[in-house]
Amino acid sequence: MHLAFGPAAEKTVTDPGASTSEAQAIEVASIEDLHVTFRRSGKDIAALRGVSLDIRRGEILGLVGESGSGKSVLGLALLGLLDARADVRGAVRVAGRDMAHCDQSARREVRRVHLGAVFQDPMTSLNPTMRVGRQVAEVAGSKDEAERLLGAVGIPDPASRMDAFPHELSGGLRQRVMIAMAVAGNPDLIVADEPTTALDVTVQAQVLTLLRSLRDEIGCSVLLITHDLGCAAQVADRVAVMYAGRLAELGSSAEVLARASHPYTLALLRSRLSLASDRTTSLLALPGEVPNPAAPEPGCAFAPRCDLAGPACLDAPPPPLEVRPGHLSACVVPAVEVTSRLAEVVRAAVVPHPEREPHNDDVVTLYRVQKSFRVGAGRTTRRLQALRGVNLTVGRGESVALVGESGSGKSTLLRIVAGLESFDGGKLEVAGPDCPQMVFQDAGASLTPWLTVGEIIGERLRGISRAERAAKVAQALAHVGLPAEVAKAKSAQLSGGQRQRVSLARATVVAPSILLCDEPTSALDVSLAASVINLIGGLRRELGMSVLFVTHDLSVARVVADRIAVMYLGRIVEVGDADQITSQPVHPYTQALMSAVPDMGREPVALRGEPASPLAPPAGCAFHSRCPKAIDDCGDALLDVRLTAVDRSAHHLAACIRATA
Amino acid sequence: MAIAEPVARRALRTTSRRKTRNLERKASVAAASLFGVVTLAALLAPVLSPDNPLMPAGAPLLGPGKGGFLLGSDSIGRDVLSRVLYGMRTSWFAALGVIALGLLIGGVIGLVAGATGGWVDNVLMRITDAFLALPAPVLAIAVVAALGPSLLHTLVAVSIVWWPFYARIVRGEIRNLAARPHVEAAKLAGAGRLRIAVRHLLPGAVPAALVTASLDIGNLVLTLAGLSFLGLGQSAPAAELGADTARNLSFLLQDWWVPVMPGIGVLVLAFIGNIAGDGVRNLIEPD
Amino acid sequence: MSALLAKRLGAIVMISIALAGVLFYLQKISPLDPVHARLGGQASASAVAAERHRLGLDRPEFTQFVDYVRGAVHGDLGDSYRTRRPVSTDLRAYLPATAELALSGLLIAMVLGVLLAFATTLRWKASSVLRPVLLLGASTPTFLLGIAGILLFYSKLHWLPATGRSSLADVPGGPTGLITVDALLHGRFDVFWDAVQHLIMPATAIALGPAVAIARVLRSSLVSDQRSDYARTARAKGLSEPAILIKHVLRNCVGAALSMTGLQVGLMFAGVLVIEQVFSWPGIGQYVAQSIPVADFPAISGVTLLLGVGYVVINTVVDLLQAVADPRIKV
């Protein structure tokens, strides 16, 4: 398969001997001591501080890091797309050119012939006013080739999708279009920057699988940039872990997972949630926050958060050293010592949860709750069926997680319990005396920007003196691990983790009977997420609150909740004790969600298709169109699948005629 | 957890801003303060003017610089400079007045519509849209024609057609803010409708409204001058920029300064207004 | 598309009726009595009563309003106090001159606006000088632009004429009333060129302010979209900057520029009325200027209705064009 237009000839010139066996060892890109500094509001932001990295021909290299680690800057540097005002030192060699310093037209040529790119948000990354066929043809060279590519990336009926505009496609299909553009012309390297972050869990697995199969087919290399170590380890051949603009650890995926040698990698692995995480103790959260890139420390950037840090760590950033063949780690402490000493620290840090006393009364009772929204106006009005009859109870002091993909109605359910949304039918009882409190996904947006933290939290304290109010605010802040001075700060002056703590302080300054959590950790870095989850669990036990926790991630649900309710298109399809649901899922959808959780060393199992539109839920069992176990009866319009007891257990219910019959 | 740190860091950042940044900011402050300077000058117009704008002070139609007239004299020997200064004073206060009224009416309607939502929002915005769907200056002409020509009527007419613009902007800002979770959080914290509107919504709309208003002063000066040129303003002896140009058009080819100088007065006022408006925008919405 | 069209046409009718209502109400609250305006202050009481009856002023207000709207729909805008002719007849005589001037101005404003936006976005040579010039241009009153033009290009340089639409005697009376178009239809290039020379100054004077406004909006839209994710994707494909601007960014920015153009038309109408005075342009502006001092309300309300409906129609066209440019706007 070769390009229809010219530069193919040049390609063989810049890549001598592409087909020889030696070429397998040659790297498609090599980064040498790369420093990138941006100037923002008059301050120098050190995004990359000396990174050297080779990408080998045909490999998938997972580049893992939290926000501010510089992983995306590295990707842009490879593409030669850094801001022209950035100060770049070092070299970024792709196809014989230095993408950091060669002229624009040479960079363009390398991008056009040798590189492909997939970005995070396929909605904004595609031109909204151009038909996708034309957008692909722009790189593919011809309409026919574009159509072939759309087919190759798994877009059903590519001929008709050629004329679609991006907004007419689902999120998964849009990302497939992006991938089609990236692989057009058989590039040597595809830079994929968080390609699955904006997608639903079950679609993420599809896209990862697609990326890997394309690599196998075309033989290109892939740089997979992600914040999720599990996601990288699952599909990548090698993994590079970055922290604060430097490489912390690099090695083959299996090696890094099994024998992580850098304290940061170990911390990431510990705080990362999986279906095997221990539910009975608090999570091991990484203390502190990501360092400020505007004021880099002279020594190891991780030292302030590291349990093993000593005086030797503070002088100079340690260079990556080989700990085993092909396995680098940038730590002054010998690898063997790292693992043994950290194991001890961990043993000391683990706090088991106290036993919960069972309560018999319910705080929230939902009975056949229905909700639909009107979409559009005039003749095009349609009804979006967000909730199609939901029964659920939350006991006093109990924690229940609602799990589902976009369109499942989980957030709508939460907002109805909060009283922020009305409902059309059914019954809702919420035990008083005060109304439920809520923490939002975007904690920053849930704090009024021009009010101080003290004013915001104080809003819940009426009818008491100013001094009493200040004392209560300070107490609530202390409860969430923040000092009293925070009361004087405004939201913009706080970090992401601090904002989420402030919103928890507001919710608990007067303990509510139930705390509603709308994906409070999904916008946070892995290390911060664990500490917020610990905090919510701690507050719940201390204040005797119930918690209703919405998440798309079963592994999060498993550790935060006593019970889990899995939702699909406005209905609960399975509900039961967290252990039961995650160890013996009965409903095919729950099983699919389980297998979609990215985990190390496990093949991603992709569920076909994407969640159907709640504007037109399929007849019968709404899941039957995607269900691997569906039989003809499942799509019967007269079928009303109800939650039925599994194994005669009153706790574990599932709505599937195949599973419970 | 060291929380105070980012706060301190923030303070550090402001003090360590680069020089260029600092210079830009100073330039913006200087530009924005032109609003104050012009207002002061307008207040002091009687002191600044060398002659009475309504009374002849020398020979007619003397060129600029001749006979002690810096900008020349008009057809009956009045000082053009004094007339232009008095005209600028009228224009400036008229523009400020219309903007203040527009902000007040538009702000209240925008806030009520945006914060209430539902049918109230619908009705108020339909009315606003109907006004916006009509060409404002032309509608103002009709209003003045009905009420009879006078400066007050012109200002009333322009205010009537000007507020919907502000109502739209304020309402849009409020709607955007109302969709943010911080409003829902305030609702859950027990804040009432009025408290949410005044404390959690209104402050967020102020910057946009202020920026729009300050960028609008130049426009308004020009619009009012145009209406004055068409004869919708004070009657004959009063000094008014647009009208002074219109009445003296016949002198254009021989004694050009008589019609041109008032026009330049408008230009200066609008130009200062635009520069100051840009300054305010740069201060409030630095990019 | 047809649904949107029907909705838009409905909106035009609604707004026109609303405007008619406003004008009718203005007439009612006006201190100037239409009967006295016609008969003079000395008329006898019986004559006044007879005139009131003839004008239908003794009937219920709502009936009067319905009659007014019905008349307006059929082109009956009442009689002018000043000329004593039907306002519609007067307008018909003045409209072509104004339409020619306004349309030329709109054309110049759009072309100039796009050029200025591109020059500053792509950093063409000397485009840095443009910023202060643009700011100055946006601050200059229309009439000053007009008289400065007359002083420079007519009085000093003798390049362009200063008054009227044409200096030729045998202008063909064509089907449209727009001299330039009629001249071309009749193949009279001398007349066309002469008319263009007359148009240049007044049309440019009314176009400059709107051109700057359009350029500003288009430029900021272009610049922000150049930094957008989809532009980054285009860059990753290896497209050149001009190609990205023209193939990808421009279509996404047309909407903002179009809606600004629609808004500016309203200000341009006011500019037309003013500039016609300066250049003795025989259009509606002259008619308005003569009507204002004598408080000829029927004449002015007729003009307002005409320009108001024209404005609404133009903005409807703008909305439809936006829907064509952006597939996300549901039609």
Side-chain angles (χ1 to χ4, degrees):
Chain A
M1 189 165 89
H2 248 287
L3 285 170
F5 50 93
E10 197 203 50
K11 193 169 172 176
T12 49
V13 175
T14 48
D15 282 333
S19 62
T20 65
S21 58
E22 290 164 330
Q24 298 307 313
I26 297 176
E27 51 279 345
V28 289
S30 80
I31 294 160
E32 292 158 28
D33 196 29
L34 184 64
H35 293 254
V36 176
T37 308
F38 294 108
R39 195 147 294 157
R40 295 264 161 73
S41 346
K43 289 204 85 178
D44 285 340
I45 309 276
L48 289 178
R49 307 193 290 140
V51 174
S52 298
L53 187 66
D54 291 338
I55 302 171
R56 298 174 188 160
R57 183 163 302 280
E59 78 168 343
I60 298 183
L61 176 61
L63 190 62
V64 182
E66 295 180 285
S67 57
S69 64
K71 57 188 192 300
S72 293
V73 175
L74 190 75
L76 290 178
L78 272 168
L79 291 164
L81 288 178
L82 287 175
D83 193 320
R85 286 163 297 177
D87 176 29
V88 184
R89 281 177 295 139
V92 183
R93 293 196 196 288
V94 183
R97 304 275 193 167
D98 181 357
M99 293 301 277
H101 296 104
C102 66
D103 62 51
Q104 277 300 338
S105 64
R107 278 184 225 193
R108 261 203 308 277
E109 194 62 26
V110 173
R111 287 201 288 263
R112 202 160 60 80
V113 181
H114 301 280
L115 293 174
V118 182
F119 297 113
Q120 176 172 348
D121 185 351
M123 181 72 233
T124 59
S125 295
L126 291 170
N127 183 346
T129 59
M130 194 190 267
R131 296 180 196 280
V132 295
R134 260 191 75 196
Q135 298 193 48
V136 179
E138 221 173 23
V139 250
S142 71
K143 287 234 156 190
D144 290 344
E145 174 67 3
E147 193 177 320
R148 191 193 67 74
L149 283 167
L150 288 182
V153 295
I155 292 179
D157 192 11
S160 70
R161 303 297 171 126
M162 288 285 284
D163 286 334
F165 286 103
H167 70 275
E168 295 164 346
L169 301 177
S170 66
L173 289 186
R174 276 180 219 139
Q175 196 57 299
R176 283 174 196 268
V177 172
M178 277 298 287
I179 293 174
M181 299 198 306
V183 297
N186 295 346
D188 302 332
L189 171 65
I190 295 173
V191 177
D193 191 352
E194 303 263 17
T196 59
T197 309
L199 304 176
D200 268 320
V201 194
T202 53
V203 184
Q204 280 183 11
Q206 297 168 6
V207 168
L208 287 180
T209 319
L210 172 66
L211 272 176
R212 198 166 55 181
S213 68
L214 285 171
R215 187 274 309 259
D216 295 344
E217 227 168 87
I218 309 172
C220 62
S221 311
V222 177
L223 180 71
L224 180 67
I225 301 172
T226 170
H227 64 281
D228 185 358
L229 191 51
C231 162
Q234 198 167 32
V235 291
D237 304 306
R238 287 198 301 155
V239 173
V241 180
M242 289 189 68
Y243 189 76
R246 290 180 64 86
L247 215 52
E249 186 157 5
L250 170 70
S252 72
S253 301
E255 175 87 18
V256 170
L257 286 184
R259 284 184 277 189
S261 302
H262 196 282
Y264 175 62
T265 317
L266 281 161
L268 272 187
L269 285 168
R270 283 196 319 254
S271 51
R272 183 170 186 282
L273 293 172
S274 75
L275 292 172
S277 303
D278 190 352
R279 293 188 58 230
T280 59
T281 61
S282 61
L283 300 169
L284 279 163
L286 192 57
E289 294 192 16
V290 174
N292 178 8
E297 312 269 345
C300 172
F302 187 61
R305 306 173 75 185
C306 183
D307 291 316
L308 308 180
C313 302
L314 303 176
D315 305 334
L321 298 174
E322 198 157 65
V323 287
R324 269 174 293 277
H327 185 175
L328 306 177
S329 171
C331 184
V332 293
V333 184
V336 191
E337 217 179 300
V338 169
T339 27
S340 62
R341 276 174 61 191
L342 273 178
E344 229 147 274
V345 175
V346 166
R347 248 193 303 284
V350 165
V351 186
H353 296 324
E355 281 292 310
R356 192 174 69 88
E357 308 153 34
H359 287 274
N360 292 326
D361 54 334
D362 291 332
V363 172
V364 173
T365 312
L366 291 138
Y367 179 70
R368 293 199 173 176
V369 169
Q370 298 193 353
K371 173 71 184 175
S372 63
F373 296 98
R374 253 198 6 208
V375 181
R379 284 194 307 165
T380 56
T381 307
R382 291 191 293 172
R383 294 209 84 86
L384 186 148
Q385 295 175 280
L387 294 177
R388 304 185 296 138
V390 173
N391 299 330
L392 185 71
T393 57
V394 181
R396 187 168 297 280
E398 187 188 29
S399 169
V400 176
L402 291 170
V403 181
E405 294 178 282
S406 59
S408 65
K410 57 189 192 301
S411 293
T412 307
L413 186 60
L414 197 70
R415 293 170 53 78
I416 285 175
V417 175
L420 292 172
E421 205 83 70
S422 63
F423 52 101
D424 310 331
K427 265 201 303 217
L428 164 70
E429 281 166 32
V430 182
D434 30 44
C435 69
Q437 291 298 305
M438 185 157 163
V439 289
F440 297 82
Q441 176 171 7
D442 187 350
S446 77
L447 303 175
T448 309
W450 48 87
L451 296 182
T452 65
V453 167
E455 289 170 321
I456 292 171
I457 299 177
E459 195 148 47
R460 290 198 63 212
L461 305 164
R462 296 286 178 77
I464 55 173
S465 76
R466 190 175 289 243
E468 272 180 282
R469 192 179 301 161
K472 287 223 170 195
V473 167
Q475 197 188 347
L477 287 172
H479 249 117
V480 296
L482 294 172
E485 300 93 87
V486 175
K488 295 190 202 88
K490 288 181 186 163
S491 147
Q493 295 163 306
L494 304 175
S495 69
Q498 289 169 336
R499 286 178 197 155
Q500 199 54 280
R501 281 167 192 269
V502 167
S503 69
L504 274 166
R506 167 173 57 193
T508 56
V509 63
V510 178
S513 53
I514 182 162
L515 178 67
L516 308 169
C517 302
D518 190 2
E519 306 238 21
T521 58
S522 64
L524 298 177
D525 278 321
V526 188
S527 61
L528 287 173
S531 61
V532 168
I533 287 173
N534 281 344
L535 185 59
I536 291 174
L539 287 169
R540 165 164 81 104
R541 287 181 197 91
E542 202 178 318
L543 303 172
M545 300 182 295
S546 308
V547 170
L548 189 56
F549 195 105
V550 160
T551 174
H552 64 274
D553 189 344
L554 259 180
S555 56
V556 170
R558 199 176 149 274
V559 297
V560 298
D562 304 321
R563 281 198 300 140
I564 293 177
V566 179
M567 293 188 71
Y568 189 78
L569 283 182
R571 281 198 176 155
I572 292 179
V573 295
E574 184 166 3
V575 58
D577 285 343
D579 275 328
Q580 284 175 327
I581 294 276
T582 51
S583 60
Q584 291 150 333
V586 169
H587 196 282
Y589 179 62
T590 316
Q591 291 167 350
L593 276 185
M594 292 270 298
S595 58
V597 172
D599 218 336
M600 314 162 186
R602 197 159 52 79
E603 277 301 298
V605 185
L607 187 64
R608 68 191 147 135
E610 294 181 44
S613 165
L615 285 168
C621 169
F623 184 61
H624 81 267
S625 55
R626 300 173 77 196
C627 184
K629 293 183 184 164
I631 52 174
D632 287 348
D633 283 352
C634 295
D636 190 333
L638 295 174
L639 174 71
D640 182 22
V641 263
R642 294 179 175 241
L643 282 169
T644 325
V646 180
D647 295 341
R648 283 187 292 278
S649 150
H651 273 301
H652 191 179
L653 309 170
C656 178
I657 54 169
R658 300 272 287 154
T660 51
Chain B
M1 177 159 296
I3 172 58
E5 192 198 32
V7 185
R9 225 189 266 151
R10 185 97 172 170
L12 205 73
R13 195 184 305 167
T14 15
T15 52
S16 74
R17 268 181 209 273
R18 296 246 158 184
K19 268 188 186 164
T20 50
R21 193 80 194 170
N22 234 329
L23 218 86
E24 265 172 40
R25 218 185 129 73
K26 274 185 186 160
S28 298
V29 171
S33 57
L34 283 176
F35 277 134
V37 174
V38 176
T39 308
L40 198 70
L43 281 173
L44 293 177
V47 184
L48 296 172
S49 303
D51 295 300
N52 184 332
L54 303 180
M55 302 302 267
L61 299 174
L62 292 176
K66 288 179 197 144
F69 295 115
L70 199 59
L71 298 183
S73 65
D74 72 1
S75 56
I76 57 170
R78 292 177 296 196
D79 178 31
V80 172
L81 174 63
S82 302
R83 286 191 70 78
V84 168
L85 283 176
Y86 269 86
M88 286 170 81
R89 169 185 155 107
T90 311
S91 284
W92 187 250
F93 287 138
L96 287 187
V98 171
I99 292 216
L101 211 59
L103 265 181
L104 189 72
I105 302 174
V108 168
I109 289 183
L111 179 63
V112 169
T116 315
W119 67 269
V120 175
D121 181 31
N122 255 329
V123 168
L124 287 177
M125 283 304 113
R126 281 290 138 80
I127 295 171
T128 308
D129 281 345
F131 271 101
L132 282 175
L134 298 169
V138 179
L139 203 58
I141 292 173
V143 174
V144 179
L147 300 178
S150 91
L151 181 62
L152 186 68
H153 290 163
T154 304
L155 294 188
V156 168
V158 176
S159 301
I160 288 175
V161 296
W162 221 257
W163 66 264
F165 188 53
Y166 292 99
R168 259 260 160 255
I169 284 170
V170 171
R171 185 258 179 195
E173 289 288 317
I174 297 281
R175 272 332 274 168
N176 279 343
L177 287 168
R180 272 174 53 110
H182 85 247
V183 175
E184 300 193 327
K187 230 178 261 174
L188 291 178
R193 278 184 164 210
L194 188 67
R195 190 179 169 83
I196 285 179
V198 173
R199 208 167 150 77
H200 294 275
L201 292 174
L202 187 60
V206 167
L210 271 186
V211 167
T212 314
S214 43
L215 285 173
D216 215 17
I217 287 188
N219 279 336
L220 208 48
V221 166
L222 292 179
T223 302
L224 289 173
L227 293 178
S228 161
F229 184 92
L230 288 174
L232 305 173
Q234 285 167 290
S235 43
E240 214 176 57
L241 299 176
D244 269 5
T245 296
R247 289 181 198 128
N248 295 305
L249 264 186
S250 50
F251 297 102
L252 181 63
L253 296 182
Q254 281 77 42
D255 311 300
W256 59 270
W257 60 89
V258 190
V260 167
M261 289 306 174
I264 292 181
V266 177
L267 167 64
V268 168
L269 216 49
F271 190 61
I272 293 178
N274 282 334
I275 286 185
D278 266 354
V280 170
R281 185 193 44 202
N282 291 341
L283 284 180
I284 295 182
E285 295 170 354
D287 45 23
Chain C
M1 199 71 184
S2 58
L4 179 71
L5 207 66
K7 217 171 133 188
R8 283 328 197 127
L9 285 175
I12 292 181
V13 173
M14 287 303 293
I15 291 172
S16 305
I17 290 177
L19 178 59
V22 169
L23 292 172
F24 179 78
Y25 185 67
L26 279 175
Q27 165 81 74
K28 286 289 148 200
I29 60 164
S30 171
L32 310 162
D33 185 65
V35 178
H36 285 288
R38 266 159 222 277
L39 303 179
Q42 316 302 324
S44 67
S46 62
V48 168
E51 184 68 8
R52 286 186 75 82
H53 183 71
R54 196 184 69 78
L55 292 171
L57 295 173
D58 51 352
R59 287 176 305 150
E61 278 201 10
F62 185 73
T63 321
Q64 291 182 41
F65 175 58
V66 171
D67 277 357
Y68 176 72
V69 171
R70 190 178 294 152
V73 169
H74 292 103
D76 176 11
L77 299 167
D79 293 345
S80 159
Y81 300 158
R82 185 173 58 87
T83 65
R84 314 248 157 203
R85 283 191 302 266
V87 172
S88 52
T89 313
D90 288 343
L91 287 182
R92 215 162 288 149
Y94 287 116
L95 182 62
T98 299
E100 185 165 37
L101 180 55
L103 289 174
S104 315
L106 190 58
L107 189 71
I108 294 176
M110 282 162 67
V111 172
L112 207 59
V114 171
L115 280 178
L116 289 173
F118 269 70
T120 45
T121 309
L122 286 175
R123 296 166 197 280
W124 287 349
K125 270 183 193 158
S127 63
S128 57
V129 192
L130 282 175
R131 246 186 87 80
V133 175
L134 290 184
L135 197 62
L136 205 65
S139 311
T140 314
T142 317
F143 58 81
L144 185 62
L145 281 172
I147 59 181
I150 290 176
L151 285 177
L152 181 62
F153 295 109
Y154 168 75
S155 178
K156 186 122 186 123
L157 299 172
H158 306 291
W159 286 359
L160 293 169
T163 53
R165 300 174 73 189
S166 174
S167 35
L168 301 176
D170 57 338
V171 173
T176 64
L178 310 181
I179 295 181
T180 45
V181 177
D182 292 342
L184 286 181
L185 289 177
H186 285 87
R188 291 282 306 275
F189 292 101
D190 58 327
V191 177
F192 174 75
W193 180 234
D194 177 67
V196 167
Q197 283 184 318
H198 280 82
L199 265 173
I200 287 178
M201 270 208 286
T204 310
I206 56 168
L208 215 55
V212 171
I214 294 168
R216 275 188 172 175
V217 165
L218 184 57
R219 183 196 128 83
S220 70
S221 178
L222 288 174
V223 167
S224 83
D225 267 42
Q226 269 186 322
R227 298 187 200 131
S228 69
D229 285 355
Y230 72 82
R232 180 182 61 181
T233 304
R235 232 162 259 138
K237 286 177 181 174
L239 266 59
S240 68
E241 288 303 318
I244 293 171
L245 196 68
I246 288 166
K247 283 191 191 166
H248 287 272
V249 173
L250 188 60
R251 186 168 169 190
N252 285 285
C253 298
V254 164
L258 274 176
S259 56
M260 186 38 115
T261 309
L263 269 181
Q264 289 296 322
V265 169
L267 294 179
M268 203 179 251
F269 282 163
V272 169
L273 300 184
V274 166
I275 213 72
E276 285 188 2
Q277 305 296 299
V278 176
F279 288 92
S280 310
W281 195 265
I284 285 174
Q286 297 289 348
Y287 187 58
V288 169
Q290 287 157 14
S291 305
I292 286 174
V294 296
D296 187 352
F297 190 76
I300 291 173
S301 77
V303 170
T304 310
L305 199 58
L306 179 73
L307 294 185
V309 172
Y311 181 69
V312 174
V313 169
I314 288 178
N315 272 287
T316 304
V317 173
V318 163
D319 282 353
L320 294 175
L321 286 176
Q322 271 178 312
V324 170
D326 190 340
R328 286 166 299 180
I329 297 177
K330 283 269 171 282
V331 288

